Every structure is written in structure tokens, then in C-alpha cells.
């Protein structure tokens, strides 16, 4: 028997609707973590369904951190002005700005990494693996594995979410898509840090 308290807890933890929470708990035999996993997968399905939609509304949000030492400006799009004005969407945008401030991503998604940057990175990783004395036949596999780490470090959507390292930023967005019922896209961001690019005096 699924208790109302469990449904409420799951709703608080995921932001999913009451009926979805009840169904998730039933499907997972009352196991809270499995129910969360079920809802996250459902979020992926919702995100896939919304993929063809146009996201032209949204918010531009400014986040200042460390007493004015770091600043982030981010634009996140959704489908309607109605969703853009919800607290849930505003919270998501704020969390994404905090993520950019804390984790310094260079790109939004792996598709945004320029070919020449990837080629250079592969070259460096290959040289590292050879210097470590790895056999030639496994070099490509090692480079591919380390390239995944490069994407996790440098692409916003692939980074572990700073408030919950078990989830990626893409998971966070997929859950928001499931909750709000609209396509959500990080369009662009810029991060400033005081003194960045200025060579300190010797």
C-alpha cells in the first residue's frame, strides 16, 4: 500500500505531479530511489516528445557571486511566457547560472565544441597515453574514455549538478521539462571573473 506521506515526499523531491508520483511508487514497489529513477526516465521521454517544439520565450538572468568577483549572464528559453514566469522555471535558471559560476563550462553541449578544439584535445590525450607506455592497440579506447571526461568538465549539460552530484545538468533540465511540460533550452551564457586574462605582475 502506497502512503500519502510517501507520495508527498516524492513530489517534494522531484516536483512531479501527484498522480505521476503515485504511479512511480506503485511501479517501483514503494522504493523511493527507484521511483525517483522512474520519474527521471519519464522526464527523458517528455523531453524527447517536446524536442521539435520552438522555445522562443524564457529569461535572461544575472547572477553575481563572491561579493562581485564572479558574474554570470545566462539566457534560458521555454515555449511560453506563462512558464517563463513560474517560480519553478526561475529557480531552474538561477541554478543554471550558479552552475556556470561554480563549474566554468566553456560550452553548452558537446556538439558546440569546435572541431579544431576536439582535434587538439585528442592529440594531447593520445600523446599522454603513449607517454604512459600504453599499448598502441588500446590507445583509441583510452582517448575516447578521456574525451568523455573532457566533455563532462567543459560542457554545461554534461557536468554533475553542483547541488546534487549524482545528477547531470541535463537530468535537471529533463526533470524541469517533465514538470513544466515545455521544451527548455539553454541558449547562451557568459561568465566573468575579476582579473581574468590580466597577467599578475611578477
Amino acid at each position: 500500500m502506497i502512503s500519502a506521506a510517501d507520495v508527498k515526499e516524492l513530489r517534494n523531491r522531484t516536483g512531479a505531479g501527484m498522480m505521476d508520483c503515485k504511479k512511480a511508487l506503485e511501479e517501483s514497489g514503494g522504493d523511493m530511489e527507484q521511483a525517483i529513477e522512474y520519474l527521471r526516465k519519464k522526464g527523458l521521454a517528455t523531453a524527447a516528445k517536446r524536442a521539435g517544439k520552438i522555445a522562443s520565450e524564457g529569461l535572461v538572468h544575472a547572477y553575481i557571486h563572491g561579493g562581485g568577483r564572479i558574474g554570470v549572464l545566462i539566457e534560458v528559453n521555454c515555449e511560453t511566457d506563462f512558464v517563463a514566469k513560474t517560480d519553478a522555471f526561475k529557480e531552474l535558471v538561477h541554478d543554471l547560472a550558479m552552475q556556470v559560476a561554480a563549474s566554468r563550462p566553456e560550452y553548452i553541449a558537446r556538439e558546440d565544441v569546435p572541431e579544431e578544439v576536439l582535434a587538439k584535445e585528442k592529440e594531447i590525450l593520445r600523446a599522454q597515453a603513449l607517454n604512459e607506455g600504453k599499448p598502441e592497440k588500446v590507445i583509441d579506447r583510452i582517448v575516447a574514455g578521456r574525451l568523455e571526461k573532457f566533455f563532462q568538465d567543459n560542457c554545461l549539460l554534461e557536468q554533475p549538478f553542483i547541488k546534487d552530484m549524482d545528477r547531470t545538468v541535463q537530468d535537471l533540465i529533463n526533470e524541469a521539462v517533465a514538470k513544466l511540460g515545455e521544451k527548455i533550452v539553454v541558449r547562451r551564457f557568459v561568465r566573468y571573473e575579476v582579473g581574468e586574462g590580466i597577467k599578475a605582475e611578477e
Side-chain angles (χ1 to χ4, degrees):
M1 182 68 188
I2 307 301
S3 74
D6 283 349
V7 173
K8 188 169 185 293
E9 186 190 338
L10 185 57
R11 182 178 165 77
N12 289 341
R13 286 179 66 179
T14 63
M18 292 299 250
M19 294 313 290
D20 285 338
C21 289
K22 189 167 186 291
K23 187 171 192 317
L25 283 162
E26 283 166 357
E27 292 286 329
S28 55
D31 183 298
M32 190 63 66
E33 297 309 315
Q34 277 186 24
I36 291 168
E37 193 64 32
Y38 172 88
L39 286 169
R40 281 168 69 177
K41 285 176 180 161
K42 194 168 185 297
L44 282 173
T46 309
K49 267 192 276 188
R50 307 299 307 171
K53 302 285 181 183
I54 305 293
S56 59
E57 291 296 333
L59 289 176
V60 170
H61 179 66
Y63 172 71
I64 307 296
H65 181 74
R69 292 201 62 78
I70 297 171
V72 170
L73 204 56
I74 190 166
E75 179 182 351
V76 183
N77 298 134
C78 55
E79 294 171 45
T80 64
D81 187 44
F82 172 77
V83 160
K85 287 178 173 155
T86 61
D87 288 342
F89 186 76
K90 288 176 187 169
E91 187 185 337
L92 171 70
V93 176
H94 181 70
D95 280 345
L96 290 169
M98 283 174 60
Q99 179 78 29
V100 171
S103 299
R104 305 167 170 260
E106 294 280 327
Y107 313 99
I108 295 169
R110 64 171 64 196
E111 295 74 34
D112 302 325
V113 182
E115 257 323 304
E116 62 273 19
V117 173
L118 267 185
K120 185 84 185 141
E121 194 59 29
K122 283 178 184 167
E123 195 183 303
I124 292 165
L125 293 173
R126 172 170 275 279
Q128 280 175 355
L130 285 168
N131 287 339
E132 288 162 13
K134 300 285 194 266
E136 185 67 48
K137 64 176 186 289
V138 297
I139 295 279
D140 286 345
R141 212 165 60 234
I142 290 167
V143 168
R146 289 179 183 177
L147 208 52
E148 285 301 313
K149 178 79 173 79
F150 170 83
F151 290 134
Q152 280 173 21
D153 289 343
N154 294 283
C155 301
L156 175 66
L157 300 182
E158 305 206 18
Q159 290 182 335
F161 177 41
I162 51 169
K163 290 184 177 178
D164 177 359
M165 302 299 268
D166 291 334
R167 293 191 291 166
T168 64
V169 171
Q170 185 66 68
D171 288 335
L172 181 73
I173 292 171
N174 287 343
E175 285 159 23
V177 170
K179 182 177 176 179
L180 296 168
E182 289 197 3
K183 180 178 181 177
I184 295 170
V185 177
V186 179
R187 178 136 189 270
R188 52 190 164 176
F189 63 80
V190 62
R191 180 187 186 278
Y192 298 101
E193 188 164 344
V194 171
E196 214 167 24
I198 301 170
K199 283 196 171 71
E201 285 185 39
E202 292 299 323

